[in-house]
Amino acid sequence: MIEEKVFKNYPHKHLLGIEGLLPDSINYLINLSKKYANYLEDNNQKLDDLKNKTCINLFFENSTRTRTSFELAGKKLGADMLNISVGSSSIKKGETLIDTAMTLNAMQPDLIVVRHNDAGAVKLLSEKVNCGVINAGDGPHEHPTQALLDSLTILRRKKTISGLKVAICGDIMHSRVARSNIHLLNTLGAEVRVIGPATLIPKQIESMGVKVFYKMKEGLKDVDVIIMLRLQLERMSGSFVPSIREYFRYYGLNNEKLTYAQPDALVLHPGPMNRGVEIDSELADDLDRSAIFEQVQMGVAVRMACLKALVKDR
Amino acid sequence: MIEEKVFKNYPHKHLLGIEGLLPDSINYLINLSKKYANYLEDNNQKLDDLKNKTCINLFFENSTRTRTSFELAGKKLGADMLNISVGSSSIKKGETLIDTAMTLNAMQPDLIVVRHNDAGAVKLLSEKVNCGVINAGDGPHEHPTQALLDSLTILRRKKTISGLKVAICGDIMHSRVARSNIHLLNTLGAEVRVIGPATLIPKQIESMGVKVFYKMKEGLKDVDVIIMLRLQLERMSGSFVPSIREYFRYYGLNNEKLTYAQPDALVLHPGPMNRGVEIDSELADDLDRSAIFEQVQMGVAVRMACLKALVKDR
Amino acid sequence: MIEEKVFKNYPHKHLLGIEGLLPDSINYLINLSKKYANYLEDNNQKLDDLKNKTCINLFFENSTRTRTSFELAGKKLGADMLNISVGSSSIKKGETLIDTAMTLNAMQPDLIVVRHNDAGAVKLLSEKVNCGVINAGDGPHEHPTQALLDSLTILRRKKTISGLKVAICGDIMHSRVARSNIHLLNTLGAEVRVIGPATLIPKQIESMGVKVFYKMKEGLKDVDVIIMLRLQLERMSGSFVPSIREYFRYYGLNNEKLTYAQPDALVLHPGPMNRGVEIDSELADDLDRSAIFEQVQMGVAVRMACLKALVKDR
């Protein structure tokens, strides 16, 4: 079991979002994630931190990477992991979200990880259960473990978050990744910008403490980190963006646009990528500039930390 | 490992239904379930009763609660649980049920839990395998673990089954829950009534040892336990029931109709519920009257008992 | 842990196909499979050969038997097994195969088992990951563990492969099972024939070292082993074969056609079977002649051997 007495504790029952978390709570989770990341690099033995514990992965939306990442994280800690996906579930029979929550609660799991396509659904569910709940993405609202793994990746490459200039680019409007990252990066003292076409940037986003840019050249100026967002291809039809070719021309990150940023600017993407849409394929594969697969690696460590922090001894 | 020498044994290879089981066999399963329920309330350690054993959950129909309940139960006993759901299976390629049975049998699992949409399919499958088989619901035929968990829940609240008046209400015709409960409650000495519209009550059901009522007011008179059944909403169109509103008015359980029963009458529902169709939403959430989520909790214990009783030492 | 020093080692990182494997490598895998098969017959304890190891089952095509067989095999060796099926995965969101590979690789599994509907897709994926990859079937290309389990089954019944006459019958054109078996049986010294309608036999298949027959009577003459292939029923419409009835009449194996072969000829089928299409139902169930379910049993042992051979100590 990894020793964690040096850290303060995570004081909340759930992890529903980054919004409202104090720097101490965020740092606690990131520091515990670092410990697990280091452990995984040095060891091939499973841990028993969550021995005898049962976690449920409850996914109302498809996901490979997030579901697998949580499942792996739990198994590496010795937990039993159960998967419930809406495609193979009686939730289709018309049961309400609250009844699903109360039913799973009656089975007395130690933690529930939930992805849902509606903002707020995970919070609603969390209010009906006795165990901790981790939001693995709720509609366009929040995706806190993604923001934590992004920050852990940035920290490994840049040593600090505070004072960094970070640009988040693309479909800000529909992105839970953008929202969680804005909260987290601001809390830890970064300067956060968002860049995208006006149709994909919410009104009044400045109130979240970001600067808005509509041109990559201006927005990327001097930034240390660029977080590219996935463009939902179903939004390519007309109303939001004119065409994939146009989008890539104006907002797709390539080596040319990268020159606007700091010479050592780091590129992140939450995946899955649309190569040639929001990011140039060669750039995505350039391991010096792009940390896209390091993000995935850190994702397992972050989920281990979050599971460990939220599963309580009964 | 839980000591179980005080009980007689479960003498059958499979658990295909409640029909035909002797009171001793039923009591054995219920008593073992009680032990596991008590264990789960007092302990958070997994047991090793089924260490080194492998169980297959073979679900030809979608299910959240039943599949998850069996998976949890098996894992709490230390078994390896494998899930096969028809949606992601080559059974769609046209393989016969018997070949599926023989194929899985050749992999030498220790137990197979089967849900299938055809009555009798689980029995057919059980005849082709060497290991024990548990029926997790076969069409409108039987759902024995549901009846066992209903009785365990009743016993915890009412201390006895014998002599109780129990009403089963709603779509009796299509309900495996109704059939298994009628067999079980009769065997243990309850007086069983069924209540529902004539279109949803099979002819000659009196031969199963129940009294038939078509009006809630008459059927609920003096009953100690009310088991509400889920109304399949796809049956709402015309031929079986006129409309959801009418159905709720005549057969939906609410506090007013509840006054017809004993003052301390207990309300059960196998879930998932259609709130506002067969049961009033507030009543469902009244933990003094409704044991709906206690049923789910008992479900895990009952499945642990059934797995333990049916997995044989090789 | 099973002692395996008496064998030479499997020298490759992956198992992508039988083509190109030396006899030593094949014999190593078959001998290790035999050991595991014997172990499973004598013991009901799990092994710890793959303790602390994590394997991912990545299935882009539905499968009951192969996926379950690998999952069981891994669990019997103490590994953690994760299932990813394309039906419930974000691969549908348009991620490339290579990005899926690199994403899973970043999660640092110890092995990935892949089934994909395109020939060559598994090799492509294997080039992007650090861990070993087992091909569980890639389009019409190869299905190496199927060929290994077929040979293990033949060896148990016939004591040798070398010198045997083996006929592979049916849809040779689209069959990865045929291709892998042709390579394996040839490498171990069998005489391999293929039999089928001209529309279902690829041109120039003789270059793989087989004799081609278009009539069962001629092709089955004196053979020791008959491998029947599954006919994809979607190919029954017109262009490939005229009708199910005609197909069964000319190419379906029954007791009459079986008389053309050696009196003790053994019948194999990779499953799932179309009874009454490529094989007579009674013959399939004749355990003296047909080893169809023994193949499934050997499949678990073969997958245990392949997992063990390809998972490396880090």
Side-chain angles (χ1 to χ4, degrees), chain A residues 194-197 212-221 250-251 260:
Chain A
V194 299
I195 317 175
V212 177
F213 295 86
Y214 301 106
K215 293 190 176 164
M216 292 289 270
K217 187 165 186 176
E218 295 165 7
L220 291 181
K221 189 170 185 326
Y250 288 106
Y251 295 102
Y260 308 145

Side-chain angles (χ1 to χ4, degrees), chain C residues 39-76:
Chain C
Y39 178 86
L40 292 179
E41 286 185 354
D42 296 341
N43 296 274
N44 55 14
Q45 302 288 306
K46 288 169 63 172
L47 294 161
D48 60 1
D49 297 40
L50 296 187
K51 201 182 157 191
N52 284 311
K53 303 297 184 185
T54 304
C55 302
I56 294 179
N57 270 334
L58 176 63
F59 275 65
F60 294 82
E61 266 188 8
N62 282 339
S63 160
T64 297
R65 72 186 61 214
T66 306
R67 197 267 299 167
T68 306
S69 183
F70 272 108
E71 187 174 352
L72 249 167
K75 287 182 168 171
K76 289 215 174 281

Side-chain angles (χ1 to χ4, degrees), chain A residues 44-46 62-65 67-69 71-72 75-76 230 272-275 293 296-297 300, chain C residues 52-54 80-84 87-91 93 95-96 99 102-104 106-108 314:
Chain A
N44 55 15
Q45 302 288 306
K46 289 169 62 173
N62 282 339
S63 160
T64 296
R65 73 185 61 216
R67 196 268 297 167
T68 306
S69 183
E71 188 174 353
L72 249 167
K75 286 182 169 172
K76 289 214 174 283
R230 172 181 174 75
M273 288 184 280
N274 297 306
R275 290 169 178 264
F293 297 106
V296 177
Q297 190 185 339
V300 177
Chain C
N52 284 311
K53 303 297 184 185
T54 304
D80 279 317
M81 302 300 292
L82 273 79
N83 293 308
I84 302 177
S88 58
S89 97
S90 73
I91 292 154
K93 290 189 195 168
E95 190 176 44
T96 66
D99 281 343
M102 292 175 75
T103 298
L104 293 181
M107 295 183 190
Q108 302 181 293
R314 281 196 241 174

Side-chain angles (χ1 to χ4, degrees), chain C residues 15-19 21 26-27 29-30 33 66 70 115 134-137 141-156 161 166 168 175-188 190 192 208 225 227 229 268-271 295-296 298-299 302-303 306:
Chain C
L15 175 60
L16 301 176
I18 300 294
E19 188 177 6
L21 291 187
I26 293 171
N27 282 322
L29 293 175
I30 290 179
S33 303
T66 306
F70 272 108
R115 169 166 288 190
I134 295 177
N135 180 1
H141 178 228
E142 282 239 31
H143 190 358
T145 58
Q146 179 71 43
L148 288 164
L149 73 89
D150 288 345
S151 279
L152 178 57
T153 307
I154 295 170
L155 276 168
R156 283 165 59 103
I161 302 283
V166 182
I168 306 176
S175 175
R176 54 197 177 207
V177 175
R179 293 181 60 86
S180 289
N181 265 312
I182 290 170
H183 290 304
L184 200 159
L185 293 165
N186 271 330
T187 304
L188 296 193
V192 185
M208 290 182 72
V225 179
I227 301 178
L229 299 176
L268 304 185
H269 189 298
Q295 288 172 275
V296 176
M298 291 306 106
V302 161
R303 272 105 197 191
C306 293

Side-chain angles (χ1 to χ4, degrees), chain B residues 2 32-40 49 77 304 308:
Chain B
I2 284 186
L32 187 55
S33 303
K34 256 188 219 170
K35 285 225 158 189
Y36 281 124
N38 292 339
Y39 179 86
L40 291 179
D49 297 40
L77 295 172
M304 289 171 77
K308 172 66 178 160

